[in-house]
Amino acid sequence: MSAPAVTVRLAEDPADREACFRVRKEVFVAEQNVPEEIEYDALDAHAVHVLAVREDGVPLGTGRLLFGEVAAKKTGGDPAVGSLGRLAVLREARGLGVGVALVRAIEEAARERGLSVVDLGAQVHATGFYERLGYQAYGPVFDDAGIPHRSMRRAL
C-alpha cells in the first residue's frame, strides 16, 4: 500500500485555521491529556500556521511558527530566531512523512521572514525525529503541560 499524497500549505483562511486547531485538539488534548485551556494561546493570533492535508482535503497535521517580537520572548531575545511549535500529526498519519513535510514548510516560512535559526521545545520522546532533521538539543529537560521537553535548535 502506498502512502497517500500529502499537501502542506499555509493555513490562511478561517477553515484552514479551524482544521489546525482540530488536529491539535485531537493530538494534544484528547491523546496526550494537555489541558485545553493551555493548548490554545494568544500567540496563535500572531503565528504562521501550516496544515497538511490528504488529496481529498482531510487534515492530517499542523504546526506553527512564531517570529519577530513574539518569538524573541521564547527564544532568548534574538529577532533572527523563530520558534517552531504545536507540531501535531494525527495517529493514522504518523510514519508517512507528514511531520517532516510540516517541519520543512515551517522552516521555509521562517526563511521567507528573514530568520536564520529555528528553535523548538521537543517532547523528549521526539528528539530523535528532530535530530534526523538537523536539530541539536541544548539545555536541561523541562516540563511543559506535564510532558518532559528539551530545547532544540537548527540553523537554516
Side-chain angles (χ1 to χ4, degrees):
M1 182 167 85
S2 64
V6 175
T7 301
V8 177
R9 63 179 183 246
L10 294 181
E12 297 178 313
D13 67 48
D16 278 356
R17 287 282 183 104
E18 184 54 38
C20 291
F21 296 146
R22 282 194 316 270
V23 169
R24 285 170 47 185
K25 185 172 185 175
E26 175 66 26
V27 172
F28 296 125
V29 178
E31 188 179 323
Q32 297 183 355
N33 298 311
V34 172
E36 192 165 1
E37 60 273 10
I38 66 171
E39 171 51 31
Y40 308 104
D41 59 27
L43 301 178
D44 281 323
H46 305 283
V48 174
H49 297 268
V50 295
L51 177 66
V53 296
R54 285 191 326 212
E55 285 178 294
D56 59 4
V58 172
L60 298 175
T62 188
R64 76 177 185 186
L65 171 71
L66 301 175
F67 62 97
E69 194 174 307
V70 174
K73 292 175 185 174
K74 292 179 65 82
T75 62
D78 187 343
V81 179
S83 178
L84 184 159
R86 302 302 201 266
L87 190 75
V89 176
L90 295 179
R91 181 174 287 152
E92 63 268 20
R94 293 181 193 150
L96 302 177
V98 175
V100 172
L102 286 163
V103 170
R104 295 306 186 216
I106 291 168
E107 291 171 346
E108 184 57 32
R111 283 186 201 90
E112 289 170 359
R113 284 154 183 80
L115 304 177
S116 59
V117 175
V118 172
D119 199 90
L120 59 89
Q123 293 182 7
V124 169
H125 73 85
T127 56
F129 166 78
Y130 289 108
E131 286 170 344
R132 287 188 296 278
L133 297 177
Y135 288 80
Q136 295 181 323
Y138 67 92
V141 172
F142 63 93
D143 179 83
D144 187 2
I147 301 168
H149 282 67
R150 186 93 190 268
S151 295
M152 300 188 82
R153 182 170 278 205
R154 178 178 186 261
L156 299 176

